């Protein structure tokens, strides 16, 4: 029974095609549409103005 469950699940699994990026993901890197976001906004803008201004 377990073998059949695992076998059916494997059909839906996606292979890791970029193993060099796995370490980045584990470290908390953010990807948007497949591109690495190097410096995400730390304080979002409100009404077109930043909080610091």
């Amino acid at each position: 029974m377990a073998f059949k469950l695992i076998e059916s699940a494997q059909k839906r699994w996606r292979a890791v095609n970029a193993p060099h990026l796995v370490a980045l993901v584990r470290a908390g890197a953010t990807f948007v549409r497949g591109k690495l976001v190097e410096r995400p906004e730390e304080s979002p803008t409100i009404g077109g103005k930043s909080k610091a201004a």
Side-chain angles (χ1 to χ4, degrees):
M1 177 86 171
F3 175 77
K4 288 191 177 206
L5 289 173
I6 293 170
E7 190 176 49
S8 67
Q10 284 180 339
K11 292 176 185 175
R12 296 184 304 248
W13 288 349
R14 180 181 168 154
V16 175
N17 56 3
H20 58 283
L21 298 177
V22 173
L24 290 173
V25 173
R26 292 187 69 197
T30 304
F31 289 84
V32 176
R33 296 185 180 181
K35 302 286 182 178
L36 176 63
V37 178
E38 294 194 22
R39 296 185 183 196
E41 288 187 33
E42 293 192 15
S43 59
T45 60
I46 298 174
K49 298 178 183 177
S50 68
K51 289 183 178 179

